[in-house]
């Protein structure tokens, strides 16, 4: 994942560009393809148990996620739809992948609860900034590293289920990335919550204007 999607730091000026109302752009098409890929991934992993194809789809998702952000800047095709669609697809992919991995018994349920719960808590903290008419805080670099580790861990864990010589290494390396990424994810979540608490204590909410 190119950014820590679904968490503080997503705003129209994050990339320094002006967001347009365009819908049919190359980045938006890539995001739509990734969205369509979610049920396909679930079918491959949970119904067909085609771990090799599910692995390939996860890798393709990560590559297109990186690519659409680069293309948006390179082609000057940033859009409001893309600013909403890209992080939405990222979050859906992460959540559905975690749930599917739990259903297959690849990871324990409590790891999925921790990761999903962290994002839900941070979503609630955004109301602190909204009530004060403040922009969301910038994404913490460690948060990006945590997201990258988590999204890298899941394909590696899948390789541990496949019939090949490196299955043992894939399983061990995937778990190392998962543990490291989860720890960083929780830590950066705590930093975001602490920042929101500090803002809530130091800056009063903006009074609602009468109609």
């Amino acid at each position: 994942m190119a950014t820590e999607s679904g968490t503080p730091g997503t705003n129209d000026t994050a990339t320094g560009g002006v967001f347009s109302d365009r819908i049919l752009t190359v980045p938006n098409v890539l995001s739509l393809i990734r969205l369509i890929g979610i049920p396909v991934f679930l079918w491959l992993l949970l119904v067909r148990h085609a771990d090799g194809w599910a692995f390939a789809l996860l890798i393709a998702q990560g590559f297109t996620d990186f690519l659409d952000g680069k293309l948006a800047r390179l082609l000057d095709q940033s859009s409001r739809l893309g600013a909403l669609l890209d992080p939405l697809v990222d979050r859906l992919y992460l959540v559905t992948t975690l749930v599917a991995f739990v259903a297959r018994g690849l990871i324990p349920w409590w790891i999925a609860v921790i990761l999903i719960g962290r994002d839900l808590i941070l979503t609630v903290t955004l109301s602190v900034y909204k009530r004060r008419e403040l922009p969301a805080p910038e994404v913490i670099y460690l948060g990006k590293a945590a997201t990258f580790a988590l999204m890298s861990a899941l394909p590696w864990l899948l390789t541990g289920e496949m019939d090949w010589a490196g299955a043992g290494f894939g399983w061990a390396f995937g778990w190392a990335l998962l543990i490291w990424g989860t720890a960083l994810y929780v830590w950066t979540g705590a930093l975001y919550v602490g920042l929101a608490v500090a803002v809530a204590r130091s800056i009063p909410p903006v009074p609602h204007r009468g109609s």
Side-chain angles (χ1 to χ4, degrees):
M1 296 172 68
T3 60
E4 193 181 359
S5 308
T7 60
T10 302
N11 53 61
D12 283 4
T13 59
T15 59
V18 177
F19 283 63
S20 73
D21 293 323
R22 287 178 294 181
I23 295 177
L24 188 59
T25 66
V26 173
N28 289 350
V29 170
L30 289 177
S31 293
L32 182 60
I33 291 174
R34 289 193 292 123
L35 182 62
I36 295 173
I38 293 175
V40 176
F41 171 78
L42 293 176
W43 177 74
L44 290 171
L45 189 69
L46 299 179
V47 179
R48 298 291 298 175
H49 285 205
D51 294 337
W53 286 107
F55 167 80
L57 194 56
L58 275 182
I59 296 299
Q61 188 274 339
F63 177 73
T64 54
D65 180 36
F66 168 81
L67 188 62
D68 66 9
K70 292 294 184 181
L71 289 177
R73 291 184 289 272
L74 182 64
L75 302 176
D76 191 23
Q77 292 188 349
S78 297
S79 64
R80 288 186 173 85
L81 176 61
L84 294 174
L85 186 60
D86 181 54
L88 173 63
V89 174
D90 286 345
R91 195 52 46 199
L92 285 175
Y93 240 113
L94 181 58
V95 171
T96 55
T97 302
L98 288 171
V99 171
F101 272 47
V102 170
R104 272 284 303 271
L106 301 179
I107 62 173
W109 63 268
W110 53 268
I111 288 184
V113 169
I114 289 174
L115 297 176
I116 296 173
R118 181 262 199 190
D119 282 348
L120 291 176
I121 291 173
L122 293 193
T123 300
V124 173
T125 66
L126 292 179
S127 64
V128 171
Y129 301 95
K130 184 176 181 180
R131 292 177 60 193
R132 289 156 179 79
E133 297 184 357
L134 296 173
E138 290 299 316
V139 171
I140 299 173
Y141 177 78
L142 280 178
K144 293 183 179 183
T147 300
F148 178 79
L150 290 172
M151 295 308 293
S152 300
L154 299 177
W156 276 107
L157 288 174
L158 261 186
T159 66
E161 298 296 310
M162 296 160 58
D163 185 17
W164 70 301
F169 172 81
W171 182 87
F173 189 60
W175 266 104
L177 285 174
L178 183 64
I179 293 171
W180 180 63
T182 300
L184 279 182
Y185 211 59
V186 172
W187 170 246
T188 54
L191 294 178
Y192 283 126
V193 171
L195 182 58
V197 170
V199 170
R201 288 179 174 177
S202 60
I203 303 176
V206 176
H208 291 290
R209 298 179 179 87
S211 55

